[in-house]
Amino acid sequence: VIMSWHAGHHFRLVMCAACHDMITSGEMSMRLMQLPQRPTLGIGPADIVETLCLSLQHNSNPAPSAGLRRLFQFCTFECKSALTARQGARTIERFVQYAHSPAILGLVNAPGFSILKLTIISGTETRGDIAVVVVSVDSWATDGALTTNGHAAAAPDSKQFRWMLQKERRPPQEGCWLVTEVLATTDWYLFNGDSGSTTTD
């Protein structure tokens, strides 16, 4: 069973540089501290991705590398290993040091992002439910352009990233969603083509 939600429904979120004038650093710190710090029952995959994207967007708030540290808590061991080129899966400190995946660096301090689509694939006898969340991420303009209030402007185009999560079936995190993969959609299509799959969604 596959269920999908698209942009414009329940999972739309945009935080942009133009909005930051209305949100003080202290207010953002309070909001970030109220978000989940680790996988918990009752938190859905779209909420998790929203939390992690917002945390990475404000990576140094309320503390240095706070966004990366929160991401570490939500990832499987295999995902941590992939995001750090197999050098930072075991400890938060090494994860922060080696988390150089383009999918992660594209979100750190990004001017904005949008959750575009959530797809949930029902579990089987051998695995839990799988969720795919597509996120559009803005980048900063490279030509030095500024907004009307003098801030650096976002680039006119954006990149899309595919987050994959799976619901755990075993203790101690039984029933919780964990991030299993984060890829730029261009990379995902490349790997998907190499695997012989014909799926394009």
Side-chain angles (χ1 to χ4, degrees):
V1 178
I2 300 177
M3 298 178 289
S4 295
W5 289 262
H6 295 267
H9 290 271
H10 303 293
F11 305 108
R12 181 73 171 173
L13 174 69
V14 179
M15 290 294 296
C16 61
C19 302
H20 290 174
D21 290 341
M22 298 180 291
I23 303 175
T24 67
S25 178
E27 290 172 337
M28 181 55 67
S29 294
M30 288 297 296
R31 179 178 181 186
L32 291 168
M33 286 188 291
Q34 291 170 355
L35 295 174
Q37 297 289 338
R38 59 185 66 247
T40 306
L41 288 173
I43 306 175
D47 293 327
I48 290 173
V49 173
E50 177 183 311
T51 291
L52 295 176
C53 287
L54 187 62
S55 297
L56 290 169
Q57 185 188 20
H58 301 275
N59 185 48
S60 296
N61 192 346
S65 302
L68 288 170
R69 290 174 178 273
R70 179 179 269 135
L71 176 63
F72 177 90
Q73 301 292 350
F74 280 89
C75 290
T76 62
F77 182 89
E78 293 77 13
C79 183
K80 296 171 191 174
S81 182
L83 293 176
T84 60
R86 300 190 296 275
Q87 297 184 79
R90 298 191 181 279
T91 68
I92 290 182
E93 288 71 23
R94 287 184 64 84
F95 182 82
V96 170
Q97 181 180 358
Y98 292 106
H100 301 316
S101 162
I104 300 306
L105 293 181
L107 272 165
V108 172
N109 303 321
F113 68 90
S114 305
I115 294 181
L116 301 181
K117 182 179 179 181
L118 163 67
T119 301
I120 296 180
I121 304 171
S122 296
T124 66
E125 293 182 357
T126 57
R127 62 157 177 80
D129 295 348
I130 290 176
V132 180
V133 183
V134 179
V135 180
S136 175
V137 180
D138 301 327
S139 57
W140 295 107
T142 58
D143 59 1
L146 301 176
T147 63
T148 54
N149 56 13
H151 292 297
D157 56 344
S158 60
K159 296 181 180 179
Q160 291 189 10
F161 299 91
R162 181 179 296 255
W163 292 64
M164 295 191 67
L165 302 89
Q166 184 166 324
K167 184 179 284 188
E168 284 292 289
R169 284 194 164 182
R170 297 179 179 178
Q173 295 177 313
E174 183 178 2
C176 296
W177 288 92
L178 298 180
V179 179
T180 60
E181 187 175 67
V182 186
L183 282 176
T185 52
T186 51
D187 293 336
W188 185 86
Y189 286 129
L190 174 63
F191 297 148
N192 196 46
D194 290 345
S195 70
S197 173
T198 58
T199 302
T200 58
D201 183 278

